[in-house]
Amino acid sequence: MAGGISTALGAKSVRSGQKVNGATQESPWVRRLIIGTGLFYFALFLLLPLGSVFVEAFRKGLDVYLAALMDPDALSAIKLTLIVAVISVPLNLVFGVAAAWAITKFNFPGKRILITMIDLPFSVSPVIAGLIFVLVFGAQGWFGSWFLDNDVKIIFAIPGILLATIFVTFPFVARELIPLMEAQGKEEEEAAIVLGARGWQVFRFVTLPNILWGVIYGVVLCNARAMGEFGAVSVVSGHIRGETNSMPLHVEILYNEYNFAAAFAVASLLAILALLTLLIKTFVEWKAAKVNSELKEG
Amino acid sequence: MSKPLFKRSVIPGFGVTLGFTLAYLGLIVLIPLSAVIWKTSDLTLLQFWQTISEPRVVASLKLSFGASLIAATVNAFFGLILAWALVRYSFPGKKIVDTLVDLPFALPTAVAGIALTAIYAKNGWLGQYLEPLGIKIAFTPIGIMIALIFIGLPFVVRTVQPVLEDLDKEIEEAAASLGANRAQTVFKVVLPIILPALLTGFALAFARAVGEYGSVIFIAGNLPMVSEIAPLMIITKLEQYDYSGATSIAVVMLFLSFILLLIVNSLQAWTAKRTGREV
Amino acid sequence: MSIQVNSIYKSFGDFKALDNVSLEFPTGKLVALLGPSGCGKTTLLRIIAGLETADSGQVILDGQDASDRHVRERQVGFVFQHYALFKHMTVFENVAFGLRVKPRRERPSEAVIKKKVHDLLALVQLDWLADRFPSQLSGGQRQRIALARALAVEPKVLLLDEPFGALDAKVRKELRRWLRRLHDEIHVTSIFVTHDQEEALEVADEVVLMNQGKVEQVGTPDQVYDKPATPFVYSFLGSVNLFHGRVDGEVVHVGPHQLVHGGSTVADGSSVVAFARPHELTISKDPESLGVYAVIERVLTFGATSRIELIGLDINEEKTSQNYEVELTRLEVASLNVAEGDHVYLVPKKLSVFEHKGTAA
């Protein structure tokens, strides 16, 4: 009889799996309901919109798709978006590293406030981000008349787009690096200095290798937002075709002209950029987790 | 000075990095933001009130905050369920789902906007089936909510997920060994522990939704008094060269966002206290 | 309540955590499950509690097969290694939890709950902490609250996983005496898991020694310490001197030397390992002694006893890699007149012999 019981038990434990034990597990139908609900929500609100971008982009065939991308206005929008990203991302990278260094390696009064200030652009509506630059540099703004007299255009021109983009992408790198460098402490830097390393060497040989993945992570997110920003740029751009239209603005114009296939074609490029961003992000996370577990084992 | 403000450190670069940080922060963020305050001080209280009390503006603020509140609530509920499924269960495609959850952070809002419109417009993917049932989504506040759900989706998932992952299995075992059934364990022990994180995610999603523009304007249809959001009102005022009006609306939004930021910060402190984690 | 486990098997992947374990825990006793980490003791405890399911075998509580019973129906109190207190509840609410989650019909009234919690807090001498949160308590206090919480549901069995593992040395000593006294008061059948032999020997009525998923020996602390059943038990409980050799009648040949043993069941000529605790060895300068040749490295005296550390010597008087340790009284050391650097013979007063099975214990 005992034998019968133990085989029954053995069979049961195989069914119920190893990782989670009976004490902390929901019944199978609850589990299925939770997974089902979660995936339905995910599919309806996330997967469906993503899929629709690509389906709509190719609805009228590959020729229309390519033509939309080769259109001179589209090309100039792509160029503008790249220029903006190439300038704004490095600036915010330098800022992010400097801010993280000052905040995590030193103690000074007002540190908490500084961290909150750095986060500010995240809590400001993109439209307001655009508005503030109009208020500063617009025709009636603080410096507006001076710029007007000297024939320098900021608003409704590329500098305005740049400024608004830098503003909205301002916190990305710093925000990624501050917690990371905080967790790493400053012992290694101090050790390097005791061993005779100088300022730049400390950063180059000790700090940078430790934060490299965090830097990449921040840069990738910063870049995605810089290329995709719509609201803030829309306010300061002036929507001049072929001149101050970035890719997202070009999508809007095409869409409003009922040129849906072309709008979705340009949008699909941005969607691919987003997917690439997520891919790199996942890779970086995987890499960081691997490094972490190796450190723990070693 | 008897007590120096700045402790001397052997690590170099304090002056340079802090100096650059403050200068850049001032130039890019603080000075431009203070332009709003400067512009507001130009206004008389009457002007301010006149803009803010315009029926169209009131309607837009109500819509922005109302729709954001509903969207954040939907996200809190379903986000919690999705986070739970991602942390606790294994199912095919889990890795892909986990990666794609961040899509709204990476996808330009304009792209999301036209995609959602393509789905929910009268002749859209889902819209064509919903329209005969009398359900209109595009060009109504419901469409706005759907766009706001999309852009707020990652917040709750990403704030709840790590807390759920860190949750000690022993806690749940302890509850079970004390005689609690699974529902009691989940509702009396697990949920209270993740509640602060859930509220943080909710507040972040809400804050993001209130200011959102790009993904909303396509699906909203922007009918005055019906589906016009507050950020769009700012743009409308700007296009009419009504800088004072635009600033007035911006001030109201900034003020409310500031309060939200305070709430988020105290929620995070609360999370840290509850879960015993240092932040 | 009596606890019995019958031929329990449990593996995690390729790792055999429990390999045919059968035990009986007598009612009202405090039993220690002792062994090195990874020996399966915690897994066994969790299987008894119902937190883990055995691959096969039975758990019998009070004569009834409870293998299929859910943890919440087993009426066991479980104290977790890291206490697992609910951080968002006060001490009072933590202890009251088990009462509050009872089905409505069995749930005591608020007044009863209040009285019971305060009685329990008084029992663990922490009544004054009722309104604090776990994060405001010291490790020792948390441990006692965890115990009070487990006792609140009046468990028939109390299971403690490394109850003192996360505490510092001083608190640990205090708390284990306290646990012993508490057990004498409440007499709930209790099992606790530990890797600290001193803890097991001092606190438990009975000790179960485990190694690599198997039970090595069961007995009172005196029994397992004085009459270890296996080489593992010998070396795990306290310091021990090892002699590898070959048994031959009354003696064990260790290299060129002979040691007298206290009787063995091992066949003549077989390879053996012999054990003697430091206090079971004495030192002789007489070259005729039946002992192992060694040189005194250090003589350390604490209070009334001296510890002498020695290194073995081969026939050429060269040092070998064998280390020995002998414990003598200060008087004995004085009368022997030994000093560091002396060449001496180590003579066992008592020597236990076990067959050598390839892997040294």
Side-chain angles (χ1 to χ4, degrees):
Chain A
M1 191 192 110
I5 290 170
S6 40
T7 30
L9 280 173
K12 191 178 139 210
S13 73
V14 170
R15 261 207 319 275
S16 64
Q18 262 81 49
K19 257 190 178 165
V20 195
N21 59 52
T24 54
Q25 212 175 27
E26 290 80 26
S27 60
W29 69 266
V30 172
R31 203 179 332 153
R32 266 177 241 134
L33 186 70
I34 289 176
I35 295 176
T37 312
L39 288 184
F40 175 73
Y41 163 71
F42 170 82
L44 181 68
F45 287 105
L46 229 155
L47 220 48
L48 191 64
L50 179 66
S52 75
V53 172
F54 292 101
V55 173
E56 293 290 333
F58 289 103
R59 187 171 286 258
K60 295 200 173 147
L62 193 63
D63 293 346
V64 178
Y65 180 82
L66 290 176
L69 297 184
M70 289 307 164
D71 179 73
D73 286 347
L75 287 176
S76 94
I78 292 171
K79 199 173 124 200
L80 176 61
T81 291
L82 290 176
I83 291 172
V84 168
V86 162
I87 297 172
S88 61
V89 173
L91 278 174
N92 282 335
L93 169 64
V94 173
F95 160 74
V97 173
W101 182 271
I103 285 169
T104 59
K105 305 293 176 196
F106 305 95
N107 281 316
F108 54 90
K111 200 158 143 176
R112 291 262 92 180
I113 299 172
L114 181 59
I115 295 175
T116 310
M117 294 281 189
I118 290 174
D119 267 352
L120 258 181
F122 274 167
S123 45
V124 170
S125 168
V127 169
I128 296 177
L131 169 72
I132 61 177
F133 289 101
V134 173
L135 292 181
V136 175
F137 297 108
Q140 310 178 334
W142 273 351
F143 310 117
S145 53
W146 184 86
F147 283 113
L148 214 60
D149 294 344
N150 289 280
D151 204 26
V152 178
K153 280 200 86 179
I154 303 266
I155 296 306
F156 308 139
I158 293 176
I161 295 175
L162 257 177
L163 280 170
T165 305
I166 293 173
F167 180 94
V168 294
T169 57
F170 182 86
F172 278 103
V173 180
R175 195 172 225 231
E176 215 47 66
L177 289 186
I178 291 170
L180 183 66
M181 284 167 70
E182 192 84 67
Q184 285 172 347
K186 49 190 177 190
E187 269 185 21
E188 287 186 39
E189 281 78 9
E190 282 170 350
I193 288 162
V194 172
L195 292 169
R198 290 174 196 285
W200 179 250
Q201 294 174 312
V202 175
F203 178 75
R204 171 73 187 77
F205 295 111
V206 178
T207 311
L208 188 60
N210 278 334
I211 61 169
L212 188 62
W213 292 113
V215 170
I216 294 174
Y217 196 109
V219 163
V220 166
L221 292 179
C222 184
N223 178 63
R225 184 73 194 267
M227 290 190 169
E229 179 51 30
F230 178 74
V233 171
S234 168
V235 174
V236 295
S237 130
H239 305 269
I240 306 163
R241 278 191 108 143
E243 272 181 49
T244 60
N245 259 348
S246 64
M247 284 169 77
L249 296 181
H250 191 59
V251 169
E252 184 195 18
I253 289 181
L254 291 171
Y255 191 85
N256 287 343
E257 288 169 349
Y258 301 102
N259 193 351
F260 294 142
F264 277 102
V266 179
S268 74
L269 283 189
L270 289 166
I272 290 169
L273 169 76
L275 290 176
L276 272 179
T277 302
L278 293 184
L279 209 65
I280 297 173
K281 181 177 167 289
T282 307
F283 175 75
V284 168
E285 277 169 346
W286 171 78
K287 192 87 191 169
K290 213 177 110 183
V291 170
N292 255 344
S293 68
E294 272 166 15
L295 278 181
K296 265 181 203 155
E297 277 165 27
Chain B
M1 257 184 15
S2 56
K3 198 177 151 207
L5 264 180
F6 301 93
K7 257 194 280 171
R8 277 194 57 83
S9 168
V10 293
I11 297 177
F14 180 62
V16 181
T17 54
L18 187 66
F20 177 70
T21 300
L22 292 177
Y24 191 74
L25 177 73
L27 277 175
I28 300 291
V29 179
L30 298 183
I31 295 175
L33 264 181
S34 65
V36 177
I37 298 164
W38 162 77
K39 188 76 195 170
T40 323
S41 68
D42 261 11
L43 304 171
T44 64
L45 207 60
L46 188 69
Q47 275 177 307
F48 177 76
W49 184 246
Q50 270 173 350
T51 306
I52 292 311
S53 57
E54 264 175 47
R56 234 176 115 184
V57 174
V58 173
S60 75
L61 283 168
K62 270 191 193 160
L63 176 63
S64 269
F65 281 87
S68 300
L69 195 68
I70 295 172
T73 310
V74 171
N75 275 329
F77 180 73
F78 288 103
L80 174 63
I81 288 177
L82 185 56
W84 188 282
L86 284 173
V87 174
R88 292 297 171 98
Y89 310 133
S90 56
F91 50 88
K94 178 169 148 172
K95 275 235 123 61
I96 296 169
V97 173
D98 197 16
T99 302
L100 281 181
V101 162
D102 282 329
L103 184 73
F105 286 158
L107 191 72
T109 50
V111 177
I114 61 168
L116 289 169
T117 315
I119 292 167
Y120 293 104
K122 201 161 59 187
N123 51 0
W125 291 25
L126 293 180
Q128 57 180 318
Y129 303 109
L130 296 172
E131 189 82 7
L133 303 174
I135 305 170
K136 282 187 76 167
I137 291 183
F139 311 141
T140 70
I142 302 175
I144 296 175
M145 272 174 232
I146 286 186
L148 296 180
I149 291 172
F150 172 84
I151 54 119
L153 191 145
F155 289 100
V156 171
V157 179
R158 290 302 186 225
T159 48
V160 169
Q161 224 177 352
V163 180
L164 214 48
E165 263 161 16
D166 277 5
L167 194 74
D168 208 338
K169 205 175 85 184
E170 279 192 355
I171 293 279
E172 287 167 70
E173 289 177 350
S177 79
L178 291 167
N181 61 35
R182 192 62 195 145
Q184 285 171 321
T185 304
V186 169
F187 286 100
K188 289 191 170 214
V189 175
V190 181
L191 284 187
I193 293 173
I194 59 178
L195 182 66
L198 183 66
L199 291 176
T200 304
F202 170 84
L204 287 171
F206 181 61
R208 170 76 205 264
V210 167
E212 179 57 21
Y213 174 71
S215 59
V216 176
I217 51 155
F218 295 97
I219 199 172
N222 311 323
L223 308 168
M225 304 297 292
V226 176
S227 58
E228 220 175 21
I229 53 168
L232 181 70
M233 279 311 296
I234 295 180
I235 289 193
T236 311
K237 296 269 176 208
L238 272 179
E239 279 168 357
Q240 299 161 350
Y241 300 103
D242 178 4
Y243 288 11
S244 320
T247 310
S248 303
I249 303 169
V251 165
V252 174
M253 290 184 63
L254 277 178
F255 176 71
L256 292 168
S257 304
F258 175 71
I259 289 178
L260 272 174
L261 194 70
L262 279 184
I263 294 173
V264 170
N265 274 348
S266 38
L267 280 175
Q268 270 162 352
W270 189 33
T271 312
K273 203 178 135 197
R274 275 235 169 155
T275 55
R277 296 200 305 183
E278 293 296 321
V279 170
Chain C
M1 177 161 80
S2 72
I3 308 168
Q4 202 185 328
V5 293
N6 285 342
S7 24
I8 298 273
Y9 288 87
K10 174 81 181 176
S11 42
F12 298 101
D14 289 339
F15 176 70
K16 265 192 192 167
L18 293 173
D19 189 1
N20 192 12
V21 171
S22 298
L23 284 167
E24 220 181 314
F25 300 90
T27 308
K29 287 283 182 341
L30 178 56
V31 180
L33 287 179
L34 175 63
S37 53
C39 74
K41 54 193 192 302
T42 295
T43 307
L44 180 60
L45 195 76
R46 290 171 61 86
I47 287 174
I48 293 172
L51 293 171
E52 210 93 56
T53 317
D55 294 343
S56 68
Q58 293 166 284
V59 176
I60 294 167
L61 301 177
D62 243 356
Q64 289 179 328
D65 187 346
S67 314
D68 263 340
R69 230 184 278 164
H70 192 271
V71 51
R72 70 175 164 269
E73 287 144 17
R74 287 199 189 185
Q75 291 185 290
V76 295
F78 200 98
V79 178
F80 292 84
Q81 186 174 3
H82 302 289
Y83 326 129
L85 292 178
F86 306 130
K87 293 189 189 76
H88 60 289
M89 296 182 193
T90 60
V91 164
F92 182 95
E93 287 303 323
N94 262 284
V95 178
F97 183 85
L99 303 170
R100 292 203 198 281
V101 296
K102 277 182 193 290
R104 202 169 292 275
R105 271 173 293 114
E106 300 164 33
R107 198 181 304 162
S109 71
E110 199 55 31
V112 174
I113 291 179
K114 204 166 169 187
K115 172 153 191 334
K116 182 138 192 186
V117 171
H118 281 294
D119 287 350
L120 278 164
L121 288 175
L123 180 72
V124 300
Q125 300 157 355
L126 290 176
D127 205 11
W128 50 287
L129 289 177
D131 296 327
R132 301 270 184 95
F133 283 91
S135 58
Q136 298 166 302
L137 308 182
S138 72
Q141 288 168 338
R142 284 180 207 178
Q143 180 59 273
R144 286 192 271 168
I145 297 302
L147 197 60
R149 182 178 71 176
L151 290 172
V153 290
E154 292 176 12
K156 297 194 171 157
V157 188
L158 190 58
L159 306 171
L160 305 101
D161 185 9
E162 294 274 3
F164 314 114
L167 301 170
D168 60 56
K170 188 170 172 288
V171 181
R172 216 174 161 128
K173 267 207 148 105
E174 277 170 28
L175 215 56
R176 69 191 191 211
R177 283 191 197 138
W178 173 82
L179 177 68
R180 181 67 244 182
R181 282 201 305 275
L182 183 77
H183 184 262
D184 293 341
E185 248 176 83
I186 59 177
H187 281 298
V188 175
T189 310
S190 306
I191 306 175
F192 75 99
V193 155
T194 179
H195 62 268
D196 180 339
Q197 33 110 353
E198 204 183 311
E199 200 165 282
L201 298 181
E202 189 183 313
V203 178
D205 295 315
E206 205 163 285
V207 178
V208 175
L209 270 129
M210 293 184 64
N211 186 33
Q212 295 181 343
K214 290 193 158 106
V215 174
E216 296 270 338
Q217 189 176 2
V218 182
T220 65
D222 287 345
Q223 283 167 350
V224 294
Y225 189 80
D226 292 334
K227 298 194 183 69
T230 65
F232 168 79
V233 178
Y234 226 117
S235 49
F236 192 75
L237 295 178
S239 1
V240 73
N241 294 289
L242 293 181
F243 305 94
H244 290 277
R246 198 164 292 282
V247 75
D248 184 9
E250 298 281 287
V251 295
V252 179
H253 292 279
V254 180
H257 313 291
Q258 294 181 352
L259 300 174
V260 179
H261 64 73
S264 92
T265 55
V266 185
D268 273 4
S270 43
S271 179
V272 294
V273 55
F275 293 86
R277 296 211 183 276
H279 67 268
E280 292 167 346
L281 285 176
T282 182
I283 285 174
S284 163
K285 287 184 167 174
D286 179 2
E288 298 298 306
S289 325
L290 288 178
V292 166
Y293 200 37
V295 57
I296 297 178
E297 274 280 298
R298 266 147 70 79
V299 180
L300 301 158
T301 304
F302 314 94
T305 58
S306 292
R307 198 170 86 215
I308 302 168
E309 294 172 6
L310 307 98
I311 297 182
L313 292 173
D314 64 15
I315 24 176
N316 303 320
E317 310 242 324
E318 296 286 335
K319 285 181 186 173
T320 66
S321 60
Q322 275 286 344
N323 290 304
Y324 301 106
E325 199 180 303
V326 177
E327 232 174 68
L328 298 172
T329 65
R330 192 195 276 253
L331 278 172
E332 283 170 317
V333 175
S335 70
L336 277 167
N337 192 23
V338 289
E340 287 168 15
D342 286 359
H343 290 196
V344 296
Y345 292 89
L346 283 174
V347 183
K349 290 183 270 193
K350 182 185 162 204
L351 190 68
S352 307
V353 177
F354 297 95
E355 194 166 359
H356 186 61
K357 283 187 189 133
T359 50

